[in-house]
Amino acid sequence: MSDEVKLSRRHLLRGRFKAVTPAAQLPWSLPWPAFVADCSRCGDCLTACPEQIIIKGDGGFPELDFTRGECSFCGDCVSACSEQLFRPTDQSPWDYIAQIADSCLANQQVYCQRCQDSCEARAIRFIPMLGRVPTPSVDAALCTGCGTCVADCPVGSIKVASPAAKEHE
């Protein structure tokens, strides 16, 4: 029995009728259906990651957990993989950007700018507003989607996802 059938059966038993794409795939990885079709779930990418942000996700497939830290785009996960699951590393690793939820402390009138302070790309800026604390704004052109801000947010208000994911919420 193939892994795809086992994964689908497990989803069926859990009440999910299609495979769940993780919030964040590995950099340079193929689209999720192609990735899971050939991934052996060996774990080589997990042990290769110097940041230790790759975890075993649903079905044992690798996914990123930005609450553990940032992706440095070192490419070690790509190099460690013996399968053909990745695009060339001279391409953009992904189209992910930081997205800030309404639960951000600034929306509660609490002054916090930790995400801005941790963003090396300077993609997060706080806009001063008359009569309230500054609110964050993400410059999609500057954001690399590295995830540093996710781990640094004290209330978990930031996620890293494709810009299209925000449109579907």
Side-chain angles (χ1 to χ4, degrees):
M1 181 180 289
S2 76
D3 288 338
E4 190 172 332
V5 173
K6 290 178 191 174
L7 184 62
S8 296
R9 183 177 294 155
R10 188 160 51 100
H11 284 295
L12 179 65
L13 294 172
R14 290 184 177 173
R16 286 186 260 156
F17 299 105
K18 68 185 231 187
V20 178
T21 304
Q25 290 180 238
L26 277 57
W28 299 286
S29 63
L30 295 175
W32 191 245
F35 187 88
V36 297
D38 292 330
C39 178
S40 65
R41 298 175 271 184
C42 65
D44 288 348
C45 56
L46 278 77
T47 56
C49 180
E51 307 298 334
Q52 298 296 297
I53 62 169
I54 303 175
I55 61 168
K56 281 193 180 230
D58 196 28
F61 293 103
E63 62 183 68
L64 297 177
D65 180 0
F66 289 120
T67 62
R68 297 167 155 240
E70 70 180 289
C71 180
S72 62
F73 305 109
C74 65
D76 289 357
C77 56
V78 177
S79 301
C81 185
S82 60
E83 307 295 335
Q84 297 297 314
L85 303 175
F86 296 92
R87 296 177 288 108
T89 56
D90 61 352
Q91 297 178 4
S92 175
W94 51 42
D95 68 344
Y96 296 155
I97 61 168
Q99 298 175 3
I100 303 173
D102 291 338
S103 58
C104 173
L105 289 174
N107 292 327
Q108 316 307 318
Q109 294 301 304
V110 176
Y111 185 85
C112 175
Q113 294 187 356
R114 286 181 60 177
C115 56
Q116 175 181 271
D117 295 342
S118 67
C119 182
E120 287 184 34
R122 300 290 174 234
I124 301 176
R125 298 192 180 193
F126 278 75
I127 316 280
M129 298 183 79
L130 190 58
R132 58 175 289 136
V133 299
T135 57
S137 175
V138 178
D139 184 336
L142 293 176
C143 184
T144 63
C146 70
T148 302
C149 54
V150 174
D152 225 20
C153 180
V155 293
S157 294
I158 304 174
K159 70 177 183 176
V160 173
S162 173
K166 187 168 186 140
E167 295 169 8
H168 298 301
E169 288 181 349

